[in-house]
Amino acid sequence: MDPENPVVQLCAQGMKAETEGREADARELFLRAWEAAGDDYEACVAAHCLARHQPTPEETLRWNQECLTRADRVGDDRVRGFYASLHGTMGRAQLALGRPGPARAHFRSAAGHLDAVPPGPYREWVRLCVARGLRATDDAPAPDDPVRVLLTRLCARADLEALSLLLPAYMGSLAYMGSLGAPEDEERLTTALRMLHAEKRLPAPEQSALSEAIALRAA
């Protein structure tokens, strides 16, 4: 975004007000940004911020839809990185209205646009939100998760070395926190499990649990 753009500046001021707990000031700044928007790109940015400050789920959905519509009208590289977040917020708005089917469709679209978000903490946060939405709208029963059982044991005895290896893969990429169902996500955790298993230093029950987890993921 262009930091010299007046609409972007108003939104930046609004986000600062949000972090300081000044919700009324934030909403006023975002509304001013919307009123100052001179094209679809500026309107998209302002609507995205305004959607967070609506009193009802219906109004939240309306502003999120306005944002997505404006992004579609722009249709160039300026908005490519927006779509993962836009579809994610649409999914959450639909879920708040008790519409899991449309919500899941948006979460799937968000997952498909994640590659356009620049790498970094923001991308990981969007990924986490999308994964949470996919889990919330999944009708299939959750399978038994031996990895989570193993992590519980490791936490109980504070095995920080083992946890430092497994937790980033498990929480950042896979079943509990960030799974988007991609093959590379599954491989990331499987690799971490195999590395820990190769050390052969865990107590026998945990070593057996590692073997079981690896076998299940290879099945």
Side-chain angles (χ1 to χ4, degrees):
M1 294 186 190
D2 179 6
E4 301 301 319
N5 184 297
V7 171
V8 172
Q9 289 179 344
L10 284 168
C11 288
Q13 293 170 28
M15 287 186 281
K16 183 175 185 293
E18 282 180 327
T19 63
E20 295 172 351
R22 296 183 287 113
E23 295 295 318
D25 291 343
R27 189 180 190 284
E28 176 62 26
L29 286 161
F30 294 145
L31 186 59
R32 285 172 55 192
W34 169 257
E35 293 170 346
D39 57 25
D40 287 321
Y41 174 77
E42 293 177 348
C44 173
V45 173
H48 185 54
C49 295
L50 262 177
R52 300 199 297 267
H53 292 267
Q54 299 307 309
T56 66
E58 290 82 4
E59 283 298 295
T60 300
L61 178 63
R62 183 176 77 82
W63 280 100
N64 280 319
Q65 182 61 67
E66 180 71 36
C67 180
L68 188 56
T69 299
R70 296 297 185 125
D72 286 342
R73 289 179 186 172
V74 174
D76 59 32
D77 286 346
R78 289 177 297 169
V79 296
R80 284 186 67 248
F82 292 1
Y83 276 99
S85 177
L86 298 187
H87 280 288
T89 53
M90 282 292 291
R92 291 195 295 276
Q94 292 283 9
L95 199 55
L97 289 168
R99 303 168 183 168
R104 186 166 181 80
H106 280 292
F107 289 131
R108 284 174 173 166
S109 293
H113 286 92
L114 268 173
D115 286 347
V117 182
Y122 176 71
R123 176 174 174 172
E124 292 308 307
W125 177 80
V126 173
R127 179 188 180 87
L128 174 60
C129 293
V130 172
R132 186 186 298 126
L134 288 171
R135 288 199 314 277
T137 55
D138 187 359
D139 292 332
D144 292 336
D145 187 356
V147 181
R148 189 171 185 179
V149 174
L150 175 62
L151 286 169
T152 300
R153 292 179 179 175
L154 295 172
C155 287
R157 60 183 185 81
D159 188 334
L160 299 184
E161 289 187 8
L163 288 168
S164 69
L165 178 62
L166 290 183
L167 276 175
Y170 189 66
M171 298 185 71
S173 304
L174 288 172
Y176 180 58
M177 294 293 282
S179 178
L180 302 178
E184 58 268 25
D185 291 336
E186 297 292 333
E187 185 58 33
R188 188 176 305 171
L189 180 55
T190 300
T191 298
L193 291 167
R194 287 174 174 160
M195 290 170 63
L196 186 58
H197 186 272
E199 292 184 357
K200 298 182 179 179
R201 66 171 185 80
L202 298 183
E206 293 174 10
Q207 199 71 23
S208 296
L210 266 175
S211 298
E212 178 188 357
I214 293 169
L216 285 173
R217 304 185 76 79

